[in-house]
Amino acid sequence: MSKRVLVVDDSPLVRNLVKKALNGNSEFCVVGEAANGKEAVDLAQKLEPDIITLDVTMPVMDGLDAAREILKQNSKIKILLLSAMGDDALLSQAQSLGIKHSLQKPFRAEQLLEALRKLLEV
Amino acid sequence: MDKDIEKLILESFIRSMCKVYRNLTNKELSAKGVEKMSSAVFKYSGAVAIVGFSGLVSGRMIVAMPKELAVIVYEALGGEQPSDDDLLLGVGEFGNMVAGNAITQINNHLKDANVRLSPPSSFLGEDLTFFNFKMSAYNILFESENLISRLNIALREV
């Protein structure tokens, strides 16, 4: 059965890139998309996805604050941080929340698929 | 600002601009030199994204490109037949990626720098004029396929 993915990014272009990369791949299916952290928290509760691809710098609520809320509600959801930022301090903050996987933008479709597969190995 | 830190910041932005463009388009972008601006005004006609950054070092990055290059970037981001609004989205995301990659390098080099980005703003038009308040600014020219793009990095004077 394919894993259900919630795509979170304030840029519709990036959300489309993620959807295109996952379309036609039987391992993953996109079940929803959110444009900020607040929407992500609401949709995560409603849709109960297996995986969330999560941007960091977003309006309303940023990715790390959203991740904190989401994982408080459901610690089984796996999160892939998908951001233009990827410095050690940010990744360490993410790790302290339980997020161990990240991919820096720009990314290629095959890099995204590989990162999602690694996320599921844990 | 310390000259070594200034050099690190400029080099990080130049490397990031080339890397992001190459990763997106599979084409090379070459830097054509850095020039310190003698005027506080930056003028441009085309597509522009501005991303602010703040932390141990603060300032803002402007990435500016002709409309033809904004179309190439938009299509590399997976879009097709862009409207002007689409180009604004594309150049904004490109600016976000360039700034994000540059700030990642800066944060990893300067421990405790904790520099963070603001979401990008983008503009499209003729004779766009930007004024730098209390910031020293640098222009960097880039060339790809006979199209010239620019980075304008302004650093807050402390």
Side-chain angles (χ1 to χ4, degrees), chain A residues 42-113:
Chain A
D42 294 343
L43 280 179
Q45 195 167 23
K46 189 174 157 195
L47 301 172
E48 296 184 340
D50 301 299
I51 295 171
I52 298 177
T53 65
L54 187 63
D55 187 17
V56 176
T57 308
M58 290 186 290
V60 187
M61 181 189 277
D62 76 24
L64 292 184
D65 284 343
R68 195 174 289 114
E69 289 296 315
I70 289 165
L71 293 171
K72 206 190 299 178
Q73 289 167 8
N74 184 349
S75 60
K76 286 182 184 162
I77 295 178
K78 292 183 183 291
I79 295 179
L80 176 70
L81 219 56
L82 200 54
S83 171
M85 299 279 290
D87 59 83
D88 298 342
L90 176 75
L91 297 183
S92 155
Q93 254 185 296
Q95 278 208 340
S96 70
L97 297 174
I99 302 170
K100 296 187 183 74
H101 292 79
S102 64
L103 182 62
Q104 199 173 7
K105 298 174 191 170
F107 56 85
R108 295 180 196 282
E110 59 272 19
Q111 290 175 309
L112 176 64
L113 288 168

Side-chain angles (χ1 to χ4, degrees), chain B residues 25-138:
Chain B
T25 64
N26 289 321
K27 288 170 187 158
E28 291 301 320
L29 187 71
S30 54
K32 297 289 176 192
V34 181
E35 166 205 48
K36 184 162 186 174
M37 283 178 74
S38 52
S39 152
V41 175
F42 176 73
K43 283 193 171 206
Y44 195 76
S45 294
V48 167
I50 303 182
V51 183
F53 51 92
S54 58
L56 183 68
V57 293
S58 299
R60 61 106 187 97
M61 176 206 80
I62 292 177
V63 60
M65 60 182 72
K67 212 169 166 180
E68 300 95 304
L69 201 56
V71 171
I72 291 171
V73 165
Y74 181 81
E75 289 175 349
L77 283 163
E80 289 165 12
Q81 297 180 325
S83 64
D84 282 356
D85 284 357
D86 292 331
L87 292 183
L88 289 169
L89 273 178
V91 73
E93 188 50 42
F94 182 77
N96 181 51
M97 289 177 182
V98 172
N101 277 264
I103 296 302
T104 295
Q105 291 172 44
I106 293 164
N107 279 340
N108 284 343
H109 200 276
L110 299 173
K111 293 297 168 196
D112 301 322
N114 199 27
V115 183
R116 290 292 172 247
L117 298 179
S118 65
S121 300
S122 44
F123 307 85
L124 185 68
E126 300 295 313
D127 293 323
L128 300 167
T129 305
F130 304 88
F131 188 86
N132 300 316
F133 287 93
K134 294 184 179 178
M135 291 198 280
S136 48
Y138 296 84

